[in-house]
Amino acid sequence: MAYDLTDSEPISLYPEADLRSFAKQVLTALGASDEEAEIVTDGVVTAALRWHPGQGQGLEKLFRYRRRIEEGGIVVRAAMDWLTDGPSYALLDAANGFGYVAAQRAMRKAVEKAKQSGIGMVGVRRSNHFGIAGYHAMTAAQEGFIGWAMTNARSEMAPWGSAQVVLATNPWGMALPVPNEDGVPVVLDMALTMSGKGMMRWYLEQGLEIPDSWALTPDGRVTTDPAAAMDGPLLPIGEYKGYGLSFITDVLTGVMTGAKFGLSVFRDEQDYDVGHMMVAFNPEVFMPRSEFNERLERLVLEVKSAPPIDPEKPDMLPGEIEHRRTIERQREGVPIANETVSGLRRLAHELGVSSPF
Ligand SMILES: NC(=O)c1ccc[n+]([C@@H]2O[C@H](COP(=O)([O-])OP(=O)(O)OC[C@H]3O[C@@H](n4cnc5c(N)ncnc54)[C@H](O)[C@@H]3O)[C@@H](O)[C@H]2O)c1
């Protein structure tokens, strides 16, 4: 579900460069290596540029990363290890390091494999929260490949027909290597649930009702009350079909990689053991690049030529809203929730880093 910010929402705007410098200092103060601090900073700032603050993927993630580093759930400078390294596949043991770093290494390896073999499929076990799935998919697209990034997560979704959580939001990021004629990268980046707990909390704080398609009460009733839904299961996209996708995604990211899956992901504070799967496809194995580009552009054109039902709302490609937001926020400032700002101020003080807040 796409969320637009309104003028009444409790946010403040900050220049992107200030946020980058701040996040990097925080991560360095927490013991991250230069490479780790660079990757995680780029991830959380990209998230802040693309998403609504209530989606909870921006600088507010620094609070959780700090807590996990201090509790031992995230190991800084982790000694990640390649367990398998074949012609078109590999498996990474992320040694409880940063999920962003593990996923980036895995996607870069998938791209290397796809250059040689046409496809690269790289699993990751013993990882952590990898942030926004589209970020890792875009890494492949920037190199000319189709990228597909998936992860499992803490159980928040029930099997269709139950109210007992077993599966998770298990997001997918899919990115295409050719920008369309407007220069907009095509990036489908989505949780497999209609929304998330962070957004429900945002609605609760704003005194708003949630759509009745977002979540159930713990005893399985449909509700529009975010407080009543807070401890219940999140509803999948496309009803039982989204549940099916989440199940399969847990097989690809958890069962198949040797990571935890289902109920056990993110439960042991010393060993969250999140699993990811990164896939890169090389379109040139089937036809010359120029032909692929021309065919993709034709499909984009057909999609963009479909007349909108409401002329005020032209149809968009996946990732188009986020791309427009990014450009606007790079110009006018990146929105951070006021509550997050207070927390970041405290964080800066406690870690002794300079703060733009
Ligand atoms: N790491 C994790 O555990 C985790 C878990 C859940 C979500 N996430 C991340 O959170 C972010 C937000 O996910 P989300 O599912 O809330 O996103 P969303 O529902 O806002 O958007 C999902 C996708 O739909 C597209 N879209 C939205 N409106 C559209 C429209 N009108 N026309 C065409 N396309 C449209 C967007 O471009 C996007 O690709 C993602 O980056 C996701 O990867 C991460």
Side-chain angles (χ1 to χ4, degrees):
M1 163 138 187
Y3 312 92
D4 284 322
L5 278 167
T6 62
D7 290 342
S8 63
E9 284 181 277
I11 53 132
S12 304
L13 301 178
Y14 294 91
E16 177 189 354
D18 289 0
L19 300 183
R20 282 189 184 276
S21 150
F22 176 75
K24 186 151 185 220
Q25 285 181 68
V26 165
L27 290 155
T28 305
L30 290 170
S33 68
D34 211 45
E35 184 210 2
E36 289 172 329
E38 281 285 347
I39 293 173
V40 179
T41 293
D42 196 40
V44 296
V45 174
T46 302
L49 284 164
R50 290 175 75 81
W51 299 111
H52 187 289
Q55 283 168 292
Q57 300 292 337
L59 269 73
E60 54 279 355
K61 275 284 177 276
L62 293 175
F63 305 134
R64 191 175 293 174
Y65 293 162
R66 178 202 187 177
R67 198 176 65 240
R68 289 187 178 160
I69 289 169
E70 290 174 351
E71 290 168 354
I74 295 179
V75 174
V76 292
R77 299 168 190 262
M80 299 186 189
D81 191 19
W82 293 103
L83 299 176
T84 306
D85 201 339
S88 58
Y89 53 86
L91 178 63
L92 180 66
D93 178 343
N96 296 326
F98 284 105
Y100 262 115
V101 175
Q104 278 294 298
R105 287 187 187 167
M107 186 54 97
R108 287 180 201 145
K109 178 74 92 177
V111 166
E112 249 175 60
K113 303 286 176 198
K115 275 182 193 159
Q116 303 297 325
S117 313
I119 187 167
M121 172 181 78
V122 179
V124 183
R125 63 166 74 151
R126 287 219 297 153
S127 189
N128 263 292
H129 179 266
F130 82 5
I132 59 171
Y135 180 77
H136 307 295
M138 282 191 275
T139 296
Q142 280 149 10
E143 297 280 323
F145 297 81
I146 296 172
W148 182 15
M150 289 169 276
T151 185
N152 62 13
R154 187 186 182 86
S155 52
E156 292 183 311
M157 180 205 287
W160 190 249
S162 172
Q164 172 74 58
V165 298
V166 179
L167 298 165
T169 52
N170 295 353
W172 284 22
M174 303 190 91
L176 304 181
V178 178
N180 65 34
E181 56 183 12
D182 302 324
V184 181
V186 177
V187 187
L188 175 65
D189 186 7
M190 58 174 194
L192 300 180
T193 49
M194 288 299 287
S195 190
K197 288 280 161 84
M199 207 62 208
M200 276 164 47
R201 207 166 298 115
W202 185 275
Y203 272 56
L204 183 62
E205 282 158 9
Q206 302 279 300
L208 299 171
E209 291 197 331
I210 55 170
D212 66 3
S213 57
W214 280 16
L216 301 176
T217 60
D219 59 351
R221 280 175 299 111
V222 171
T223 184
T224 57
D225 174 1
M230 215 44 159
D231 296 323
L234 295 173
L235 283 167
I237 56 167
E239 303 189 335
Y240 51 86
K241 300 182 191 183
Y243 148 64
L245 286 176
S246 179
F247 176 80
I248 298 290
T249 306
D250 206 5
V251 175
L252 297 176
T253 59
V255 174
M256 194 166 98
T257 62
K260 287 183 178 154
F261 51 85
L263 289 168
S264 53
V265 188
F266 269 127
R267 295 290 164 177
D268 176 349
E269 285 180 6
Q270 304 299 310
D271 188 24
Y272 287 118
D273 198 358
V274 179
H276 318 310
M277 183 59 70
M278 304 291 140
V279 187
F281 301 92
N282 183 352
E284 288 182 61
V285 294
F286 296 133
M287 65 188 69
R289 173 72 59 170
S290 56
E291 194 181 340
F292 169 76
N293 287 351
E294 189 271 320
R295 289 167 62 82
L296 178 56
E297 276 164 24
R298 248 190 307 136
L299 178 61
V300 167
L301 192 64
E302 284 180 18
V303 167
K304 295 298 277 184
S305 304
I309 297 166
D310 176 350
E312 298 291 304
K313 292 183 182 162
D315 45 304
M316 286 178 290
L317 289 160
E320 200 169 331
I321 303 179
E322 291 75 36
H323 180 71
R324 287 187 193 172
R325 273 188 206 139
T326 300
I327 290 173
E328 189 188 310
R329 291 173 182 183
Q330 283 174 328
R331 202 177 47 231
E332 287 166 19
V334 186
I336 309 282
N338 292 342
E339 203 189 331
T340 303
V341 169
S342 315
L344 292 173
R345 233 177 249 145
R346 263 196 312 278
L347 184 66
H349 178 71
E350 286 164 14
L351 296 178
V353 304
S354 60
S355 145
F357 305 109

